């Protein structure tokens, strides 16, 4: 078994702190979900950790918040966002993080609202029903986009600053 480094524990702590922000009162759809997935995908070198740590943090807070019938779509989009972090953020530049955050927001919107359409009886199972589902969700999208950009900025920015201060974080593999 591989030894878990201080970098692993710092990244894990940051993701779990972000996850627990979900438990604090916040505006609808303003949560660090996509930022946690992007951050984990971007910084954990081991793919098992890139998926497991953010998913575990999300699951722990969902145990407290509760589950609903479209959780499969939330977790599917979350896993896809981890993949985006792995593939798109090999270079952790502000522009790359911004672009990956926007793609994450759009992906989350498309997948989770499709999940609502397919898994619930709220909308007719027709093209018009799917269009109505997406249309009804549009007012919530701006909060998702703003929160993804905000929390990605916090996580990536805080870790960048920590790496500047603690060389152990800059050099260590996770």
């Amino acid at each position: 078994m591989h030894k878990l480094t201080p970098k692993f524990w710092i990244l894990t702590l940051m993701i779990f702190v972000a996850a627990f922000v979900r438990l604090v009162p916040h505006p609808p759809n303003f949560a660090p979900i996509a930022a946690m997935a992007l951050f984990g995908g971007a910084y954990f070198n081991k793919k098992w950790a890139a998926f497991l740590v953010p998913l575990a943090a999300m699951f722990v807070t969902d145990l407290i918040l509760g589950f609903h019938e479209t959780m499969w779509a939330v977790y599917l989009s979350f896993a896809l966002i981890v993949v985006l972090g792995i593939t798109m953020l090999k270079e952790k530049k502000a522009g790359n993080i911004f672009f990956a955050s926007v793609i994450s927001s759009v992906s989350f919107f498309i997948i989770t609202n499709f999940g609502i359409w397919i898994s619930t009886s709220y909308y007719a199972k027709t093209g018009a029903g799917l269009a109505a589902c997406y249309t009804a969700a549009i007012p919530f999208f701006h909060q998702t986009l703003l929160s993804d950009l905000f929390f990605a900025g916090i996580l990536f920015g805080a870790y960048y600053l920590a790496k500047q201060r603690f060389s152990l974080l800059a050099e260590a593999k996770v």
Side-chain angles (χ1 to χ4, degrees), residues 5 9 29-30 35 70 73 76 79 89 115 123-124 145-148 157 162:
T5 65
W9 293 113
N29 290 39
F30 198 87
T70 58
L76 175 64
L89 296 176
Y123 301 97
L145 178 60
L146 291 175
S147 72
D148 292 346

Side-chain angles (χ1 to χ4, degrees), residues 1-22:
M1 178 159 178
H2 299 286
K3 181 181 176 199
L4 299 177
T5 65
K7 181 179 177 181
F8 172 88
W9 293 113
I10 295 295
L11 294 172
T12 299
L13 177 65
M14 290 178 71
I15 289 170
F16 270 83
V17 167
F20 279 91
V21 167
R22 299 177 66 212

Side-chain angles (χ1 to χ4, degrees), residues 3-77:
K3 181 181 176 199
L4 299 177
T5 65
K7 181 179 177 181
F8 172 88
W9 293 113
I10 295 295
L11 294 172
T12 299
L13 177 65
M14 290 178 71
I15 289 170
F16 270 83
V17 167
F20 279 91
V21 167
R22 299 177 66 212
L23 305 177
V24 176
H26 57 276
N29 290 39
F30 198 87
I33 294 171
M36 293 163 33
L38 274 178
F39 185 75
Y43 278 109
F44 284 111
N45 296 329
K46 305 277 189 241
K47 288 192 178 34
W48 67 264
F51 285 95
L52 181 64
V53 172
L55 284 167
M58 178 89 152
F59 185 75
V60 167
T61 55
D62 281 337
L63 287 173
I64 297 164
L65 294 170
F67 295 91
H68 52 77
E69 59 196 339
T70 58
M71 292 306 288
W72 66 268
V74 172
Y75 279 84
L76 175 64
S77 64

Side-chain angles (χ1 to χ4, degrees), residues 5 7 45 159 163-164 166-174:
T5 65
K7 181 179 177 181
N45 296 329
Y159 192 69
K163 285 192 317 181
Q164 302 306 306
F166 305 104
S167 61
L168 147 92
L169 295 176
E171 299 165 8
K173 292 279 185 192
V174 180

